[in-house]
Every structure is written in structure tokens, then in C-alpha cells.
Amino acid sequence: SRCDKAAQTHIHPHPEDVFTSLPAFRVSISMQAHQAQQLSQRCRAPVSGLAHRVAPPHSSNRGHARLPAAKVVVGKSAEGALQEGQAKRVFLNQLDALKSMSVVVADTGEPALVKKFRPQDCTTNPSLVLKAVQSPEYSKFLAEALKGGGSVLSTKDRSRPYAGVADALTVNLGAEMLKVVPGRVSTEVDAHLSHDMMASYDKALHLVDLYAKRGVEPKRIYIKLASTWAGIEACRRLQKEGIDCNLTLLFSFAQAAACADAGAALISPFVGRIMDWYKAKEGREFMPHEDPGVLSTKRIYTYYKTHNYKTIVMAASFRNTGEIRELAGIDNITISPQLLAELEANTDPLPRKLDPCMKDDSSLVSMKTQAEFDALHNSDQMAVEKLAEGIKGFTVDQVKLELMLAEVAEKK
């Protein structure tokens, strides 16, 4: 069960070592053995086997027992952390505390920043890659991609001769980051293909092949696809072939339901972009607990747990750390370097807000046909507008990236 998996996440063999290790942000404490036993008893699930995601219980407003917030203690020894069979969870900052509840992912295409924050996973997209390669320290990755001669690969559009080089560049950066993170890297399929199922499927296989040439196995990759119907159907095929997918640009419940039905390994609800739309529409600010993006993500998370979907929910696109704190305990959470630094600097307690044992009274939503998907997704004006805007934005940055590659090639 999901609770069984949660109860085993990253059980450290020597918890006393975790409590005393420094520097703190390099330690990704997720759960101690006694906490696993506690969660197992609470969720009525046995602790057996291995798991790699989700985390222990938290306080919620859905009738679950309240557990103490992750306590942040600066500069103090963790001696005596275990009292009467229950641990005081001791962390040096909110980033450490968050790592004990959720898999933290670095939302950056820069290997140097991945090395700094030591996340479990990392993720890229055309915008992040474009930003990264504008820095002189990453010029070698540009050179390698151009030398590889990818310009004639992976595109049928001869007006974009450097699309293949962009693929090679993205994979070069991804492979470099995988030297640092113990988990996976998410690599995005060209946004131009977001409404073409077969083209997206073929591009995904091409990216997997490029990683294989660099010695990276598929189990260390998530293929990122836009959460269009075409992207979701491409995901369905890829998952059946053992290629895990990250469905991105997710704004509606319809998208989430369809992704789960397709067997997506992971989805990325865009918290901040949802809030942006409502902020512009209503002309007001939102407190974190009422943030529309936070509420949408909580709904999806609870729906998945209620109906025992294995799809990981990875919250993305944050505007502030308040949104992050409201989603503490979610399966995965991808955070920009700026917000990672803010969490690392904050020594306030971090209460758990999401729990893998959470349930609601929702009915299972059928999302097996495009007609069903379109009917529900198109009823959400925000989601329709933000999905189109997101695809356009990634497409624009993809073109900028290819033009930059062309300029560099001409200079050589």
C-alpha cells in the first residue's frame, strides 16, 4: 500500500550518524526506523520491502492524529533525541526538515548549483538549459554538443537544423548533474511536439538513446512531456516500455486524472503559475493556506492517495517559500536555488502538512478517452490558458537555445 511504502522511505541504518552529520544541508534525513514502525501501525500496513518515495505522517485537518512539527535546532547536540520510543526530529534548518518529509529536487540546469544543494533529483527544461549555457563555465557542454554533430538528428523540421544539437546539449548537462545526485534527472521533450503523440514518443526514445551513449540507464531518467492529451498518450506507451515519464505543465484536475490513468511515474503541478492566474484575475494576494495552486495540488495529492495511484506528485513552480511550507510532506518537490537558499537560512519549525495516508470521499474519475479529457479540462479556463502559455514559453526558449547554438557554431 502507499502507507506501507511511506513507512519505509529512506530508513537510515544508523540514525545516530544522521543526527550528528555536518554540514546539515548535505544530509537528506527522511525517516528513522522507529518512525517507520509508528507510521505502519497508524496506517495498518506492515513494514516490509523497500520504497523510494513519500514519507511519514503529519498533522492535517482530515481527522488524522497530530504529530509534532519537525523541530529545528541550531548548533545543538542531538543527544537524547530518542525519548520513550519517540524521536525528536532535529534539523538545522527548514531545508533539512523538508528533506525528511519529501524528496527534494533542484529546479535548475546548472550542475554547480546541484552540487551546492545536494538534492535527491534534478530537473531541466528549455528555459533552465538556456539560462545555464549562457554562463561561460558551461561552454564545454556547448562544444561537446556541437562536436557530436547532432544537428541532423531528431527533427523532421529542416528549418530547425540545431534541434538535435539542443537535445545533445540537454543530455550532456543532465548526465553531468547525475554525477552529483543519487536519483534521477528529468529531461524535457521538445515543446514544439506537445500536440503530436508519435513525434513526442520518438523524441523520448531518442533522448533515452543519447543518455545510453553516455552510460546513463533509463532508470535514472524521467522523460518530461507536456500534459496535453498527446503527451499523456505518449506517456502511456513509454511507461509500458519501462521508460518513466514526468508529465509537466499540469494545471487541471483533468490532466492529473488522465496522467494517473496512463500510469505516469510522476506529475508536476505548477503551483505558482496557477496562483499567478488567480492573482491577475482577482487582483489580490493570497496567503499560502488559501493559495489556489496549493489547494489544487493538495486535491490532486489526496485523490491519488485515496485511489491508491502510484504516480508521484512533484509540486513545482513556486513563487515563495510559504507555498512550499504548505506542501511539506508531498511526495516530491522541485525548488529553485533561490528558494532552496531561503529554506536553508530559515530555522523556524516546519510542520508536516501532507500525509500519504490522507483520504477523501472523491469518486474515481474516468479519463480514458480524449472526449472525456477535453470536456473536463476545457471547463477550467485557467488550466486551458496556462497550458497554452506554458507550451508557448518553452517553445520560445527552445528556439532561442537553437539560435544560440547556431551562432556559436558559426563563430567556430
Side-chain angles (χ1 to χ4, degrees):
S1 72
R2 294 293 296 184
C3 295
D4 179 36
K5 290 185 177 181
Q8 307 158 49
T9 304
H10 303 297
I11 300 175
H12 198 282
H14 302 291
E16 67 279 6
D17 294 339
V18 177
F19 279 118
T20 56
S21 296
L22 292 174
F25 76 83
R26 296 186 64 177
V27 180
S28 181
I29 313 170
S30 284
M31 196 178 198
Q32 309 307 320
H34 63 278
Q35 291 173 300
Q37 184 178 10
Q38 181 186 54
L39 178 60
S40 175
Q41 292 170 350
R42 178 177 169 200
C43 297
R44 302 182 185 277
V47 179
S48 58
L50 295 174
H52 65 280
R53 57 178 77 108
V54 203
H58 75 111
S59 61
S60 78
N61 60 359
R62 297 184 180 273
H64 295 291
R66 179 175 293 276
L67 293 181
K71 183 176 180 60
V72 178
V73 179
V74 181
K76 294 184 179 180
S77 169
E79 185 177 355
L82 302 179
Q83 292 183 355
E84 299 179 354
Q86 183 175 2
K88 289 182 179 179
R89 287 166 283 175
V90 182
F91 308 99
L92 295 187
N93 53 59
Q94 287 192 343
L95 179 56
D96 264 352
L98 183 62
K99 286 180 177 181
S100 77
M101 308 175 201
S102 305
V103 172
V104 173
V105 181
D107 197 9
T108 178
E110 299 184 52
L113 290 173
V114 173
K115 291 177 182 178
K116 177 180 179 181
F117 291 104
R118 297 281 176 175
Q120 175 70 20
D121 294 347
C122 52
T123 185
T124 66
N125 60 46
S127 304
L128 294 174
V129 173
L130 178 63
K131 180 181 178 182
V133 298
Q134 289 174 338
S135 174
E137 67 180 299
Y138 300 120
S139 59
K140 67 175 183 178
F141 296 106
L142 280 170
E144 288 176 7
L146 289 166
K147 184 178 179 180
S151 60
V152 297
L153 299 175
S154 72
T155 181
K156 297 178 181 179
D157 186 353
R158 297 303 174 184
S159 67
R160 297 174 54 212
Y162 285 88
V165 177
D167 291 340
L169 173 60
T170 300
V171 169
N172 288 349
L173 286 168
E176 185 69 15
M177 290 188 285
L178 284 174
K179 296 177 182 178
V180 180
V181 299
R184 302 192 186 211
V185 61
S186 289
T187 299
E188 192 140 357
V189 166
D190 187 343
H192 288 84
L193 311 177
S194 296
H195 294 286
D196 187 328
M197 189 276 286
M198 279 307 303
S200 294
Y201 171 80
D202 290 341
K203 175 71 81 171
L205 295 181
H206 176 66
L207 293 171
V208 171
D209 287 343
L210 289 177
Y211 272 112
K213 290 176 181 177
R214 295 191 63 110
V216 177
E217 299 179 2
K219 67 182 180 181
R220 299 206 65 198
I221 307 164
Y222 285 124
I223 293 295
K224 287 178 76 172
L225 296 154
S227 298
T228 60
W229 181 253
I232 293 168
E233 286 300 290
C235 163
R236 191 187 303 274
R237 291 190 59 170
L238 291 163
Q239 289 290 160
K240 289 178 179 178
E241 296 181 23
I243 298 172
D244 285 339
C245 298
N246 171 356
L247 272 295
T248 189
L249 293 175
L250 194 145
F251 303 99
S252 73
F253 182 78
Q255 290 173 295
C259 289
D261 184 78
L266 183 148
I267 62 167
S268 296
F270 274 36
V271 178
R273 295 196 193 190
I274 293 174
M275 188 274 289
D276 291 344
W277 190 89
Y278 283 98
K279 180 179 177 181
K281 183 176 178 63
E282 299 184 15
R284 70 181 184 95
E285 300 290 338
F286 291 91
M287 296 297 290
H289 71 275
E290 63 174 352
D291 185 302
V294 168
L295 296 178
S296 174
T297 303
K298 285 184 175 180
R299 179 193 179 193
I300 291 166
Y301 176 86
T302 307
Y303 175 79
Y304 277 17
K305 301 302 177 272
T306 297
H307 298 288
N308 297 314
Y309 283 115
K310 296 180 180 179
T311 301
I312 299 167
V313 181
M314 181 172 76
S317 176
F318 291 102
R319 297 295 178 257
N320 55 68
T321 54
E323 292 175 324
I324 295 170
R325 285 188 282 268
E326 282 297 315
L327 293 171
I330 197 166
D331 300 338
N332 290 24
I333 190 163
T334 181
I335 306 172
S336 69
Q338 177 185 344
L339 296 182
L340 285 170
E342 289 183 26
L343 290 168
E344 189 181 16
N346 192 324
T347 58
D348 292 336
L350 181 65
R352 172 178 286 276
K353 295 298 181 78
L354 295 185
D355 183 334
C357 298
M358 291 172 71
K359 306 287 182 183
D360 62 20
D361 58 358
S362 64
S363 299
L364 193 63
V365 177
S366 175
M367 204 61 61
K368 297 184 182 297
T369 69
Q370 185 170 359
E372 291 173 323
F373 175 80
D374 288 344
L376 187 56
H377 178 70
N378 291 340
S379 68
D380 187 336
Q381 181 185 359
M382 175 278 298
V384 171
E385 291 181 9
K386 297 305 289 186
L387 176 58
E389 178 187 285
I391 292 171
K392 181 179 179 180
F394 284 161
T395 299
V396 167
D397 282 343
Q398 178 75 21
V399 171
K400 289 179 180 178
L401 180 61
E402 292 171 20
L403 290 174
M404 187 182 72
L405 289 168
E407 291 175 4
V408 173
E410 289 175 4
K411 290 178 182 179
K412 290 182 177 297

